[in-house]
Amino acid sequence: ERFQLAYAPHFGMFRHHAGDDLVDQIHFIADEGFHALEDNSMTRRSVADQERIAEAMTSRSMAMGVFVANFGTAFGKRSFTSGAAEHVQSFLADLEVSVEVAQRVNATWMTVVPGDLDPKLQPEFQTANAIDMLRQGAEIFEPHGLVMVLEPLNPWANHPGMFLSRIPHAYELCRAVNSPAVKILDDLYHQQISEGNLIPNMDKAWDEIAYFQIGDNPGRNEPTTGEINY
């Protein structure tokens, strides 16, 4: 039977069962009862692979989950915090490409990571710069009904020095931008490390959360293997 919720495995999670071919993995995932898939690397795949993926997912009535819209920023580059024109233009160009990819693979949500902190600029100015940048990005996504989801990343185990690490800060950004195209990706693995308090923060930010990712801590392993009370 299919899962009731749209749990979305990532390519590679079942390659030992299904092999390396992406379409074979899709069919295996569907056979196991999943009806969604996510792929951080979608924008880096060839158009031919994107079309193959979309065709296979359509044939199995599967939904596309997130892919990463701004890969350079996701690794701590091209930050939203400086307000530099070249960073803004790079981000907007990434979003234009992401619109094309989203249309090709029937996606709605794209992960956006706002990059690294600026050690020479007060936090309030950095937040204001990020809001301005996101508002410009929202103008690209809104006409297409697409949604960028801001992912806070933990600073301790995986992503030191990043601008966005907490759900309340992501909520502040979303409320300030005030667009249906800018929401939160609440990754419970990251948030357990960054701040804990998962359910109260979920409740408080609920109206701005569009997507969840799950994993347990330590180790980002399967739910119920660690300290999070799934």
Side-chain angles (χ1 to χ4, degrees):
E1 295 183 9
R2 300 180 102 200
F3 288 106
Q4 294 183 35
L5 297 180
Y7 296 116
H10 199 282
F11 279 127
M13 291 179 69
F14 298 108
R15 67 186 183 279
H16 297 299
H17 301 280
D20 291 328
D21 182 76
L22 300 178
V23 170
D24 288 344
Q25 291 183 44
I26 289 170
H27 288 305
F28 180 87
I29 288 167
D31 288 343
E32 292 299 309
F34 296 97
H35 48 97
L37 173 80
E38 64 178 44
D39 178 31
N40 283 346
S41 301
M42 188 65 79
T43 58
R44 294 183 163 189
R45 300 194 187 279
S46 67
V47 170
D49 275 344
Q50 292 170 8
E51 291 175 344
R52 287 179 67 232
I53 290 166
E55 182 179 358
M57 292 182 68
T58 298
S59 74
R60 301 303 300 264
S61 300
M62 296 179 71
M64 186 69 220
V66 292
F67 62 83
V68 176
N70 60 330
F71 242 105
T73 307
F75 293 98
K77 307 295 183 184
R78 294 184 283 180
S79 180
F80 288 28
T81 61
S82 68
E86 62 268 26
H87 294 168
V88 175
Q89 293 308 313
S90 176
F91 172 61
L92 299 181
D94 284 343
L95 294 192
E96 295 282 4
V97 171
S98 295
V99 168
E100 296 177 9
V101 175
Q103 292 173 336
R104 200 172 290 129
V105 301
N106 302 313
T108 299
W109 307 278
M110 279 139 280
T111 304
V112 165
V113 178
D116 49 356
L117 286 161
D118 186 335
K120 296 182 179 180
L121 195 62
Q122 290 94 331
E124 294 81 3
F125 287 126
Q126 295 184 61
T127 293
N129 288 336
I131 291 166
D132 288 342
M133 202 156 162
L134 290 168
R135 284 176 175 164
Q136 293 182 67
E139 293 177 358
I140 294 174
F141 270 20
E142 281 183 10
H144 303 283
L146 301 177
V147 183
M148 68 184 84
V149 286
L150 308 180
E151 182 176 10
L153 302 173
N154 83 80
W156 313 117
N158 303 101
H159 300 280
M162 301 297 278
F163 169 69
L164 186 61
S165 63
R166 299 177 298 106
I167 292 298
H169 193 190
Y171 183 78
E172 176 186 20
L173 295 172
C174 289
R175 291 298 295 269
V177 176
N178 192 29
S179 167
V182 181
K183 296 295 179 182
I184 297 170
L185 190 169
D186 190 347
D187 186 322
L188 300 183
Y189 161 75
H190 281 301
Q191 294 318 304
Q192 175 68 6
I193 296 171
S194 292
E195 58 190 356
N197 208 35
L198 298 179
I199 292 174
N201 283 337
M202 211 181 293
D203 287 340
K204 290 181 175 68
W206 187 257
D207 290 345
E208 301 294 342
I209 296 174
Y211 200 98
F212 285 95
Q213 289 178 327
I214 59 175
D216 220 328
N217 183 58
R220 199 170 195 165
N221 294 318
E222 289 83 352
T224 75
T225 61
E227 65 187 13
I228 300 176
N229 184 10
Y230 278 103

